[in-house]
Amino acid sequence: MYIKKVKTGYQYIEKYIDESGTEKRVKITLKDKKRATQVSALQLLDKKIYDKLNSNTISKNVKLSVVYEKWSEMVAKTYVYSTYKSYMSSVRGFVNIYRDWKIDKIKTTHVQDYLIRNSLKPKTIKHRQNVLGNLFSFAVKMQYIEENPVSSVVIPRMKKTVLDYEIQENKGLSLDELRQVIAYCHETNRSKRLTFIMEFLFLTGLRLEELAGLQKSSVDLDNKQIVIRHVTYSKAHGEDTRKLYPPKTRASMRKVYLNPRAIEIIEWFLENSLDKSFVFTNDKGGIIVQQNMFIFIRTVCEQVLGKFDNRKFNVHMLRHSHITLLAELGVPIKATMERVGHSDISTTLGVYSHVSNNMRKEVMNKLDSLVLEPKKSTPTSTPNE
């Protein structure tokens, strides 16, 4: 609702979409714009819209593109920016195909065909299914359609192969492997900034968007900690990289202790600052973006450790490695959750389940030290009587 000054008072105007997908307006004129009057105006306008739409009947002949626009506005106001971008990316292909279709003409077969026509990863298919389900659920609630066509979609269960399990098992870097990679980067004059950032992610378990959004005002070296208050959208480019957003969950807003090496890295970036506000930047002073960091990490790790079908090197593995390191050090799960910003214990346990080689050796050593047989007693001699 918006308000416009007119000769007879104040005109209250509200927009709505009719059954044909056309944007229309209703208006009412009242004498003032006091808070109580605005509340009354909103009620009157809602009644006008209700009467015009006759909400007891399902709207017909509304194009998918119209519903999509209304839904995207709702998503933008409901979710954090990274989730919003992920949702839009997931449905873009489907909307491009069916945007001019009447939404009530889109059936389950259309959704299912779209989801399984390409050789996508099961996780990607599931995500697209969930997001499309959200879109059509919105359409049901707005009474554009009676049933959600996504609810009856049948996605084939993808059987995991041995290779899939091996990739899952081989996530992360050990401390010794990281040392080898870091040494290689320095010896071959790789980007010092990206090398230090890779090391810092391993030492702190930060998400890349948290590191990229870290401002100088959030660094407290006196208390050996940084405060995570904001994130950036790590896939953004240009000016969008300078935009800050709140973290995804309340648990993500936290204080992170820095060990001496992490402090050294922070101090280096502060001394060699290329931006007045942000701590971590690339060699040109730009904010770190996901694609650039991913290529750097994958390249140097493969050159040092080798290229394998059952092992993938990426940015997120450094966070995984940090959590595994905390498990090796015997840090309680609750403390680990607080440090890395997990709100769900199952997420942390999912990483703990991938036991490292060091932890396996520790289990073996403890088992080897067990003594199950009772010690043989030394017979005592009885003196002759």
Side-chain angles (χ1 to χ4, degrees), residues 166-218:
E166 288 180 350
I167 291 173
Q168 192 72 13
E169 184 70 19
N170 291 325
K171 275 188 174 181
L173 290 176
S174 69
L175 183 58
D176 182 60
E177 286 177 328
L178 178 73
R179 287 173 176 150
Q180 294 177 49
V181 173
I182 295 297
Y184 169 81
C185 290
H186 291 310
E187 291 168 2
T188 56
N189 295 319
R190 296 283 178 159
S191 169
K192 183 176 289 188
R193 289 178 178 273
L194 297 187
T195 301
F196 282 162
I197 287 172
M198 178 172 59
E199 186 177 357
F200 192 84
L201 289 172
F202 181 94
L203 293 171
T204 60
L206 292 188
R207 302 176 178 93
L208 184 62
E209 57 266 29
E210 293 171 344
L211 177 137
L214 183 66
Q215 295 180 288
K216 295 176 181 178
S217 58
S218 296

Side-chain angles (χ1 to χ4, degrees), residues 38-57:
Q38 292 183 34
V39 173
S40 177
L42 185 59
Q43 293 173 345
L44 292 170
L45 290 172
D46 284 345
K47 180 64 169 60
K48 275 194 168 189
I49 294 173
Y50 178 88
D51 292 340
K52 288 180 178 293
L53 293 177
N54 186 13
S55 63
N56 290 324
T57 61

